[in-house]
Amino acid sequence: MSTTTPFSMFFLLLCMPSLALLPHRTLAEPLRQRRAETRSWPWPRNVVPRSEPAAGYFAPADGGGAMLTQAPNTGDPPLGEPLNVIIAGTSDPAVLVDQQSDGGFRNFFLSVGFSAECLGQHEGAPQTANLGDGNGYLNETSELRWDYGDPTLGTCQETVHGGNHFRYWTQSGKSADSGAYFLATSYELPIAEDHNIIVNGYNLGRDWLIGNITGSPINTSALTNTSTFTGTTSYAGFIYSSSIAYVSGLLANSSSGVNHGGDVGINGQTAVDGLVAVVTISIATKPANATKSGAIRIVPTTTLPFVALIPTLLVGLLLGALSL
Ligand SMILES: *[C@@H]1O[C@H](CO)[C@@H](O)[C@H](O)[C@H]1NC(C)=O
Ligand SMILES: *[C@@H]1O[C@H](CO)[C@@H](O)[C@H](O)[C@H]1NC(C)=O
Ligand SMILES: *[C@@H]1O[C@H](CO)[C@@H](O)[C@H](O)[C@H]1NC(C)=O
Ligand SMILES: *[C@@H]1O[C@H](CO)[C@@H](O)[C@H](O)[C@H]1NC(C)=O
Ligand SMILES: *[C@@H]1O[C@H](CO)[C@@H](O)[C@H](O)[C@H]1NC(C)=O
Ligand SMILES: *[C@@H]1O[C@H](CO)[C@@H](O)[C@H](O)[C@H]1NC(C)=O
């Protein structure tokens, strides 16, 4: 039966594209890479991974950026707030998408106790930040607030009574595309006191947010650049594991250029202690109903049976042809 060999090869080659597709798409493959190859079906191209530093972010100063935001109407040069929490770009790619669905950034923060602003309202002009990624100064992406245990209306309490909140930006420009989120966290006074920041409110805002991840209080005055923590939080069936490392060298241990600096750092204390909490988040568990957060389906389920039938159909056709 010397003729069967070329035919077997023929079928094997026919099946090659579908066989070759499967190993290219795994759960572990970063979503941002997957997004970059949306045109690849059915013939995958080689994916060029974006360079990402081991730390999960680029130091903004290296690209002409700054770790202080610029607050509007605070003078020239403007005063700013410290970007004192970083969600590392080495986190699970699903968490780095600014959405609530599929375990995204907003779902992670719901698990920590922060949600979008009261009834979608946003008071005040946006702050800007330059993360050194080539995009220059950009308006804040959005702002999330401590929700007092009520994701729907709790942020209205925050708006009136004050509390913890953060504005955020993503480092995603062409020259430093880490995918990391930079958060300017601070603890506000009530609206009646014009939303100033409480004493030590930048450091405390950062550490209460981290405490909300770890589930136990962070002692702000005991922190150093070797402090590390871990925590587990969950929302909508997603369970997140976070590891936190406080790092120095990004922010200055200083009040210089800091908005409300004189009121926040009193008794000789600096308004900013110079530490940034770097949070790396992985997803420990996804709920069974999280369809889109899993591996991208190569073929819609409805066409799968048909595709599986193709080799059989071809064999049938060929056998038919041979028997003629
Ligand atoms: C930033 O926000 C201000 C005030 O809302 C707006 O006027 C401006 O167009 C925004 N800039 C960009 C680049 O979106
Ligand atoms: C969680 O956040 C709230 C509001 O900022 C704060 O009062 C509380 O102390 C935080 N919890 C921990 C354990 O840090
Ligand atoms: C916090 O740390 C400081 C400095 O190490 C220490 O003096 C203080 O007792 C600690 N507070 C708590 C509540 O552990
Ligand atoms: C940690 O801080 C100390 C000063 O307190 C400094 O000498 C050291 O270089 C820092 N280490 C890192 C890894 O930033
Ligand atoms: C998915 O299931 C979880 C419970 O495992 C539930 O909390 C969540 O609301 C569900 N999400 C959707 C989109 O149905
Ligand atoms: C910040 O500087 C002050 C002195 O101005 C020092 O006492 C403090 O330990 C420093 N904080 C950190 C976190 O290095």
Side-chain angles (χ1 to χ4, degrees):
M1 292 289 285
S2 58
T3 50
T4 53
T5 312
F7 282 120
S8 309
M9 282 302 292
F10 174 70
F11 285 122
L12 198 62
L13 285 172
L14 269 180
C15 296
M16 279 298 275
S18 53
L19 290 173
L21 271 170
L22 293 167
H24 281 268
R25 318 276 184 132
T26 68
L27 263 176
E29 189 183 358
L31 180 67
R32 291 188 304 123
Q33 286 182 23
R34 286 194 234 133
R35 277 210 311 252
E37 49 164 352
T38 45
R39 293 188 304 132
S40 64
W41 191 87
W43 319 113
R45 285 151 209 251
N46 280 337
V47 174
V48 183
R50 303 180 193 200
S51 65
E52 188 153 59
Y57 60 88
F58 294 93
D62 294 348
M67 287 297 283
L68 289 182
T69 67
Q70 292 192 341
N73 313 314
T74 53
D76 187 19
L79 299 172
E81 301 192 352
L83 292 162
N84 49 15
V85 176
I86 294 174
I87 306 299
T90 43
S91 298
D92 190 300
V95 180
L96 299 175
V97 182
D98 189 8
Q99 62 182 11
Q100 187 176 332
S101 57
D102 300 327
F105 180 80
R106 285 166 185 254
N107 194 68
F108 170 75
F109 270 103
L110 282 164
S111 82
V112 181
F114 287 77
S115 59
E117 293 182 87
C118 173
L119 305 173
Q121 298 297 305
H122 177 75
E123 29 89 32
Q127 295 190 12
T128 61
N130 179 355
L131 301 184
D133 60 0
N135 282 342
Y137 276 90
L138 292 182
N139 285 342
E140 66 202 51
T141 302
S142 192
E143 188 170 345
L144 299 183
R145 294 174 178 272
W146 171 246
D147 65 20
Y148 289 88
D150 177 357
T152 315
L153 291 174
T155 57
C156 300
Q157 273 197 60
E158 201 278 358
T159 302
V160 176
H161 299 303
N164 211 2
H165 73 304
F166 64 83
R167 305 158 194 275
Y168 62 93
W169 290 259
T170 55
Q171 190 173 53
S172 54
K174 283 200 182 79
S175 61
D177 186 7
S178 67
Y181 282 64
F182 285 63
L183 282 50
T185 312
S186 61
Y187 200 96
E188 279 182 334
L189 286 165
I191 201 164
E193 295 174 60
D194 215 16
H195 277 175
N196 281 331
I197 312 297
I198 66 168
V199 170
N200 204 20
Y202 295 116
N203 301 327
L204 290 175
R206 173 196 63 202
D207 297 336
W208 287 338
L209 183 152
I210 299 301
N212 290 158
I213 298 176
T214 64
S216 64
I218 304 292
N219 184 349
T220 300
S221 53
L223 290 171
T224 70
N225 62 8
T226 61
S227 302
T228 58
F229 302 91
T230 57
T232 300
T233 55
S234 65
Y235 197 84
F238 287 86
I239 301 178
Y240 301 97
S241 298
S242 301
S243 58
I244 299 110
Y246 282 80
V247 302
S248 59
L250 292 169
L251 269 173
N253 177 357
S254 160
S255 299
S256 175
V258 176
N259 199 19
H260 310 296
D263 309 324
V264 172
I266 59 166
N267 301 328
Q269 196 180 28
T270 54
V272 174
D273 65 9
L275 295 174
V276 175
V278 179
V279 185
T280 307
I281 305 157
S282 61
I283 297 181
T285 305
K286 298 184 183 198
N289 57 12
T291 49
K292 281 201 285 177
S293 57
I296 287 178
R297 291 182 199 282
I298 292 96
V299 181
T301 35
T302 47
T303 63
L304 257 178
F306 173 71
V307 172
L309 275 175
I310 288 176
T312 320
L313 288 172
L314 285 168
V315 170
L317 277 174
L318 191 80
L319 287 177
L322 284 175
S323 70
L324 279 178

